[in-house]
Amino acid sequence: MDEKRLTLLQKLYALTLCTIVFMMVYNFAAWYLSTLNEVPSFVFDFEKHIPFISWSIIPYMTSGIFFCTVFFFCQNREELKVLIKRMLFATLVAGVFFLLFPLQFSLSKPEVSSSVLGYSFQFLKIFDSPFNQAPSLHIAYAFIFWSVFRNIKRGRTFLMLWLILLGISTLTTYQHHFIDIITGGILAHLSFIIFPYRKNDFLYRNFHVANIYFLSGWILILTALLMNQFVGKAVLLLLWPGFMILLIGYHYQKNDIFFLKNKEGNIPWFKKLFYGPYLLLYTLFWRFLRENRTPLEVIPRLYISSRPDHESLKNFELSQKTIVYDLSAEMEELTIIKNTTAYHTIPFLDIGILDIHETQKLVSEITEKHKQLPPDGKILIHCTMGFTRSSVIGILVIKNILSLPLTEAITIMKTHNKHAVIPTYLEDFLKKF
C-alpha cells in the first residue's frame, strides 16, 4: 500500500509541477505579447483552403483532459521521469520561441450558431492566447501524450485516432497556422531524442532511431514549405523525401524488416521509385565507406563481409555448395549470387534492433548448415556495410559451432574482422545468448 501511495503521490507531483510551469510560461508569454504594438503572422498560401469546422472544438478542448490524466498512465518511475522532462522541455522551449519569435493567428473565426459550441469558443477567446503560436504546444503535447498511451492495452487505437483528430482540430478551429503544427512536431521529437526512454535498453533501440528519422522528416517538410513560400513551387519536391523519411521512421518503430525487400530478396519497382533517395544514399555509403569488401574467413568455412560486388568475388568461388545469408535490408543481392548459390535473405534494419527469437532461429540454422557442409562447401554472412549485423550474427554462430564463451567468440571475430563494430546496446543483446 505504501508503494502504491508513493506512486500516486509521484504522479500528483508530476501533474502539479508541469501544470505550474505551463501556467507561468504560457500566461507570461501571452501577457507580454499582448503589450506589443504589433505581432506578425505567418500563413502559408494553401491555408486559405482549410475549412472552419465548429464541432472540432470538442477534440481540441480535450487536450486539457489528456494533460491532467497522462501522468496516471505511466507504468514505472522511469517512464514518469521521462514524461516530466519532456513536458517541461517542450513547455520551456516553446515559451522561449513565443517571446523571441512572436506570432499571432490571423484568420477571423465565423460565427458559431450552436450555443454549446459557442460557449466553448468564448472560453477559448478568454483563456487561449492568440499569440502563443509556434511551436504549437497542443501538437507537441499530443505527441508526448502518445509516447505514454501507446503502451496501454485497451483503447490504444481509439486514443491514437483521437490524438490525430486533436492535432487536425488545431487547424479547423482556426486556433493555429500550419507552421505551428510542423514546429510542434519538431519540438516533440527533439524532446524524445534529448530525453529517450530506456536509452541503453536494446529492446527500445528502434524507437530511438525512429525518432531521429521523424525529426529529420519534419525539418525537411518545414524547409520545403518555407522555400516554396519564398522561392517557388519547384522546391516542393523536398516534400517527397520528407514524407519518405517519416515513413521510414514508422517502419523502424514497427521493426518492419521487409518494408523494402520481399522474402525473395527483391525490391519491387514502386518501392525503388518511392524510396529512391534512401536507396541512393545507402548505395553511396556502400560504394565509398564499406569495409570487408573481400569475404573474411573467421573460422574454417565461415566467411563475413559487406554486401559483395563482382570485384570482391573474383577470388571467392561460388557454387551450389556455397550458402549465402544476406542480412541487408537496404540493398538487393547480386544476381550471380542468387542464381549460383543457396541464397537466403534474412534482413535486419541497419543500426536497429535484432529480434531475439529470429536471431536465435537464424543462428541455429546457420550452425546446423555449417555442420552439414560438404568438404568444398562454405557459408558467407554479409550485411550492407560489413560493420555490425554480419559481425553480431557471426559471433553467435562462432559461439555455437565452437561451444565457446561469448567473450572468446567476440575476440575471434575482432581478431579476424578488425572493422567489426559492436555498439553498447548490442553488447547487452549478445549477453542474452
Side-chain angles (χ1 to χ4, degrees):
M1 290 296 295
D2 288 341
E3 181 61 29
K4 289 183 179 179
R5 188 172 61 181
L6 176 63
T7 301
L8 178 61
L9 288 175
Q10 286 179 325
K11 294 175 180 180
L12 287 171
Y13 165 78
L15 170 60
T16 303
L17 174 62
C18 291
T19 300
I20 291 173
V21 172
F22 168 76
M23 295 293 290
M24 291 177 62
V25 170
Y26 190 88
N27 290 328
F28 175 77
W31 167 80
Y32 172 75
L33 295 177
S34 68
T35 65
L36 300 180
N37 293 327
E38 184 178 353
V39 178
S41 298
F42 187 92
V43 188
F44 290 112
D45 293 336
F46 62 83
E47 292 188 59
K48 62 185 178 183
H49 300 295
I50 297 176
F52 176 80
I53 304 174
S54 59
W55 62 261
S56 62
I57 189 67
I58 298 172
Y60 183 85
M61 296 285 282
T62 57
S63 180
I65 298 174
F66 284 123
F67 188 105
C68 294
T69 58
V70 66
F71 303 97
F72 301 95
F73 284 88
C74 292
Q75 299 174 6
N76 55 65
R77 292 185 180 184
E78 183 183 357
E79 188 176 22
L80 182 62
K81 287 180 180 179
V82 170
L83 175 62
I84 294 171
K85 291 176 181 177
R86 290 172 174 176
M87 294 283 285
L88 293 178
F89 174 81
T91 303
L92 293 172
V93 171
V96 170
F97 273 83
F98 294 158
L99 296 174
L100 296 181
F101 306 99
L103 293 172
Q104 67 173 322
F105 192 81
S106 61
L107 303 178
S108 58
K109 293 183 180 66
E111 290 295 327
V112 179
S113 57
S114 169
S115 59
V116 175
L117 298 179
Y119 286 136
S120 298
F121 278 101
Q122 285 298 320
F123 177 86
L124 280 186
K125 188 174 182 180
I126 296 172
F127 293 101
D128 202 0
S129 169
F131 300 114
N132 297 342
Q133 293 289 300
S136 165
L137 280 174
H138 261 72
I139 297 298
Y141 287 161
F143 278 112
I144 295 172
F145 297 155
W146 177 242
S147 71
V148 174
F149 291 136
R150 72 184 176 199
N151 297 320
I152 67 175
K153 295 180 179 179
R154 293 185 178 181
R156 183 174 178 270
T157 301
F158 172 78
L159 288 172
M160 178 187 68
L161 295 174
W162 192 266
L163 286 171
I164 292 173
L165 191 60
L166 188 158
I168 295 172
S169 73
T170 59
L171 296 171
T172 57
T173 54
Y174 282 13
Q175 286 296 122
H176 281 281
H177 287 301
F178 201 79
I179 193 171
D180 313 341
I181 311 306
I182 300 295
T183 51
I186 291 173
L187 176 58
H189 286 93
L190 191 60
S191 77
F192 296 157
I193 293 170
I194 296 176
F195 303 107
Y197 178 59
R198 295 189 177 177
K199 179 180 180 181
N200 297 318
D201 189 337
F202 74 91
L203 292 175
Y204 287 82
R205 174 66 181 180
N206 278 20
F207 287 99
H208 304 153
V209 176
N211 286 326
I212 295 174
Y213 276 110
F214 287 140
L215 178 64
S216 303
W218 286 122
I219 291 174
L220 201 54
I221 290 171
L222 178 61
T223 301
L225 293 175
L226 289 175
M227 291 182 67
N228 171 66
Q229 194 81 355
F230 299 109
V231 178
K233 294 188 182 301
V235 293
L236 283 176
L237 283 172
L238 287 175
L239 290 175
W240 165 30
F243 286 116
M244 178 199 71
I245 291 171
L246 290 180
L247 192 55
I248 292 171
Y250 171 79
H251 289 304
Y252 262 84
Q253 272 196 345
K254 298 297 183 181
N255 195 33
D256 184 3
I257 57 175
F258 288 106
F259 85 93
L260 278 174
K261 294 167 75 168
N262 58 29
K263 294 185 179 181
E264 286 71 46
N266 301 316
I267 302 177
W269 68 267
F270 60 91
K271 289 187 178 182
K272 288 181 180 178
L273 186 63
F274 179 75
Y275 291 102
Y278 181 71
L279 297 174
L280 175 61
L281 189 63
Y282 260 98
T283 300
L284 293 174
F285 286 159
W286 171 79
R287 184 170 297 278
F288 297 108
L289 300 178
R290 75 186 190 275
E291 300 292 347
N292 302 334
R293 301 185 179 217
T294 302
L296 300 170
E297 190 173 24
V298 289
I299 61 173
R301 298 191 291 175
L302 179 67
Y303 294 79
I304 301 292
S305 77
S306 60
R307 187 262 193 186
D309 58 12
H310 291 282
E311 182 67 26
S312 62
L313 294 174
K314 280 185 176 180
N315 299 317
F316 188 80
E317 186 177 347
L318 299 175
S319 71
Q320 290 297 322
K321 297 177 183 179
T322 304
I323 304 174
V324 175
Y325 285 92
D326 174 11
L327 309 183
S328 169
E330 308 83 26
M331 295 186 70
E332 288 184 313
E333 188 63 277
L334 290 177
T335 302
I336 188 174
I337 290 181
K338 289 182 181 180
N339 294 339
T340 308
T341 69
Y343 171 73
H344 304 272
T345 177
I346 315 289
F348 292 99
L349 298 179
D350 193 16
I351 65 173
I353 188 175
L354 278 69
D355 180 83
I356 293 178
H357 175 73
E358 291 299 322
T359 300
Q360 183 63 65
K361 181 180 175 182
L362 174 61
V363 170
S364 298
E365 179 183 322
I366 297 175
T367 302
E368 193 62 30
K369 295 277 189 184
H370 189 272
K371 291 178 182 178
Q372 299 172 359
L373 282 175
D376 53 347
K378 54 191 173 184
I379 294 176
L380 169 63
I381 304 172
H382 79 77
C383 53
T384 301
M385 303 297 292
F387 294 120
T388 300
R389 287 168 285 184
S390 56
S391 298
V392 169
I393 299 301
I395 287 169
L396 294 175
V397 172
I398 293 169
K399 177 179 179 296
N400 264 19
I401 291 174
L402 301 182
S403 300
L404 294 175
L406 178 62
T407 52
E408 291 187 26
I410 293 174
T411 299
I412 290 174
M413 175 59 69
K414 289 187 174 181
T415 299
H416 292 86
N417 179 12
K418 292 181 171 53
H419 300 289
V421 177
I422 313 297
T424 303
Y425 76 94
L426 282 179
E427 290 178 1
D428 295 335
F429 170 79
L430 286 170
K431 291 175 184 176
K432 298 293 181 181
F433 298 86

